[in-house]
């Protein structure tokens, strides 16, 4: 298979189109043929190494929309031909407390799509099945890319605050305590 | 719960001051999506009692926070990254149901370097999408 990608060789160097070797498909990974990919300001920050975490050569692009072209033997719930999206993260450990409680994005080993991983400015991208999200049929997929990073970031921020403000928050805390979980209320003692 | 929504972009300090005076004490939630330093005192001042300044824009300079405006109005400052896979699926369903879509400019992927330059120049309105053309 001939994969091509726009490669950043070093910070602030213009991207060049190259043939890349993606290697064998991971057992839990899927491969997506990229149709559209949003360009987020975070791509620019990693391109310029503004955060000091960039790894070159880099393939940027983390607002991917495309169709699945291959599924690993242990990939679940997805099939070839399905239209999907991949955002800022492309994988997580799937066994830590955060992953097992549905907060995969807080996993200590969560894999950013464009740092130490090949992103979506390419013919194909690989991602863990759990982080490869089927797109609703009604969604205008050509415009959906930015929803996968900018969209979810703001959606979650608004939704978390709404949940936190709901009456019953204190009951949830009490229930959490009853289940032996610590409810964090911390204060630093004056010294 | 009272909810008001307001979109903000970077603007001059004077304009920010003027606007924030007009909306002092009125917002339940302010989401900062920009990666530049803002007039944080003014921003926190726009929050209603129990209001929250929520940071998702990766500003590199530390955000100084004065205690009294938080304490007296029981306000808070918080942050979050992206969301979980289920949250992404929920958001996509929400977007499909309510026809929510970003305002975009499209470039063929072969013009990727031009697209990066346009984003960096601050001229993009508002999100750029590259269409694969290999």
């Amino acid at each position: 298979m001939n994969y091509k990608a726009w490669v950043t060789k070093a910070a602030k160097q213009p991207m060049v189109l190259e043939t890349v070797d993606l290697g064998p498909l991971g057992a839990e990974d899927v491969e997506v043929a990229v149709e559209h990919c949003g360009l987020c300001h975070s791509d620019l920050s990693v391109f310029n190494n503004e955060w000091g975490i960039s790894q070159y050569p880099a393939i940027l692009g983390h607002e991917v929309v495309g169709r699945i072209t291959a599924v690993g033997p242990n990939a679940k719930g997805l099939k070839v031909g399905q239209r999907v999206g991949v955002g800022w993260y492309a994988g997580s450990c799937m066994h830590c407390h955060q992953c097992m409680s549905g907060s995969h994005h807080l996993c200590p080993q969560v894999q950013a799509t464009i740092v130490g991983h090949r992103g979506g400015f390419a013919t194909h991208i690989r991602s863990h099945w759990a982080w490869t999200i089927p797109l609703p049929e009604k969604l205008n997929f050509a415009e959906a890319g930015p929803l996968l990073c900018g969209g979810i970031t703001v959606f979650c921020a608004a939704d978390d605050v709404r949940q936190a403000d709901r009456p019953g928050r204190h009951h949830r805390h009490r229930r959490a305590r009853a289940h032996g979980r610590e409810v964090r209320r911390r204060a630093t003692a004056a010294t | 719960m009272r909810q008001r929504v307001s979109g903000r972009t970077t603007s001059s300090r004077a304009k920010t001051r003027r606007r924030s005076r007009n909306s002092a004490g009125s917002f339940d939630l302010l989401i900062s999506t920009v990666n530049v330093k803002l007039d944080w005192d003014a921003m926190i001042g726009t929050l209603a009692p129990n209001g929250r300044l929520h940071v998702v824009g990766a500003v590199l300079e530390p955000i100084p926070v004065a205690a009294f405006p938080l304490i007296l109005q029981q306000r808070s400052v918080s942050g979050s990254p992206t969301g979980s896979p289920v949250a992404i699926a929920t958001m996509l369903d929400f977007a499909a149901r309510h026809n929510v879509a970003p305002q975009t400019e499209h470039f063929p992927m072969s013009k990727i370097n031009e697209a990066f330059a346009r984003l960096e120049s601050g001229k993009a309105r508002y999100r750029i999408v590259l269409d694969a053309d290999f």
Side-chain angles (χ1 to χ4, degrees):
Chain A
M1 183 79 196
N2 219 3
Y3 302 104
K4 285 182 179 171
W6 287 93
V7 181
T8 309
K9 297 288 183 65
K12 305 180 188 198
Q13 295 305 304
M15 280 153 276
V16 289
L17 184 61
E18 288 192 346
T19 299
V20 291
D21 181 7
L22 295 181
L25 182 65
E28 303 213 352
D29 288 350
V30 301
E31 182 175 283
V32 178
V34 178
E35 293 171 302
H36 307 277
C37 188
L39 166 51
C40 174
H41 203 281
S42 302
D43 291 309
L44 189 58
S45 296
V46 173
F47 177 76
N48 289 331
N49 199 17
E50 278 165 30
W51 303 337
I53 59 166
S54 304
Q55 294 176 28
Y56 304 105
I59 299 172
L60 306 174
H62 61 274
E63 296 181 341
V64 182
V65 168
R67 280 189 189 276
I68 294 182
T69 48
V71 294
N74 299 339
K76 296 179 178 65
L78 298 170
K79 53 182 188 295
V80 170
Q82 207 169 0
R83 188 167 267 132
V84 292
V86 180
W88 177 250
Y89 290 131
S92 59
C93 81
M94 302 299 285
H95 61 78
C96 70
H97 284 216
Q98 299 303 338
C99 282
M100 292 299 279
S101 57
S103 298
H104 306 65
H105 59 301
L106 305 179
C107 168
Q109 293 173 49
V110 70
Q111 175 63 60
T113 300
I114 59 168
V115 181
H117 182 273
R118 299 178 185 92
F121 296 143
T123 55
H124 296 78
I125 185 173
R126 303 262 180 89
S127 52
H128 190 276
W129 63 266
W131 285 96
T132 309
I133 319 294
L135 299 189
E137 275 183 23
K138 268 185 64 191
L139 199 69
N140 179 352
F141 65 90
E143 303 293 337
L147 295 175
L148 294 156
C149 177
I152 184 57
T153 299
V154 171
F155 182 85
C156 259
D159 200 49
D160 284 356
V161 171
R162 190 177 58 83
Q163 304 263 352
D165 280 349
R166 268 201 323 217
R169 168 190 183 185
H170 300 291
H171 293 287
R172 283 206 300 281
H173 280 186
R174 268 165 53 189
R175 202 167 59 222
R177 276 201 208 94
H179 284 90
R181 288 198 295 272
E182 182 195 3
V183 175
R184 285 178 190 238
R185 280 197 196 145
R186 290 261 169 92
T188 322
T191 48
Chain B
M1 177 181 158
R2 195 161 45 92
Q3 290 202 337
R4 288 176 60 186
V5 176
S6 169
R8 281 273 165 85
T9 179
T10 15
S11 56
S12 74
R13 198 181 163 83
K15 211 194 272 178
T16 307
R17 282 265 171 211
R18 202 161 56 239
R19 280 191 191 155
S20 59
R21 248 199 324 272
N22 293 340
S23 48
S26 62
F27 294 119
D28 294 315
L29 171 64
L30 201 54
I31 301 177
S32 173
T33 63
V34 295
N35 66 343
V36 292
K37 203 168 108 182
L38 298 178
D39 186 339
W40 299 111
D41 286 342
M43 291 295 139
I44 291 169
T46 65
L47 296 174
N50 290 312
R52 182 157 156 183
L53 168 63
H54 193 80
V55 183
V56 297
V59 55
L60 295 177
E61 295 90 348
I63 300 174
V65 177
F68 266 120
L70 294 187
I71 294 169
L72 295 178
Q73 296 296 306
Q74 215 166 286
R75 293 158 168 153
S76 53
V77 178
S78 55
S80 62
T82 174
S84 69
V86 166
I88 296 172
T90 305
M91 176 276 301
L92 291 172
D93 283 343
F94 181 86
R97 193 159 61 242
H98 298 287
N99 287 319
V100 179
Q103 264 183 274
T104 56
E105 294 178 3
H106 284 255
F107 285 73
M109 208 172 281
S110 52
K111 302 264 185 222
I112 191 167
N113 289 305
E114 287 90 327
F116 268 68
R118 182 161 172 82
L119 177 61
E120 193 150 35
S121 74
K123 288 183 185 147
R125 292 292 178 273
Y126 284 88
R127 304 291 293 200
I128 292 175
V129 174
L130 303 181
D131 304 320
D133 65 339
F134 293 94

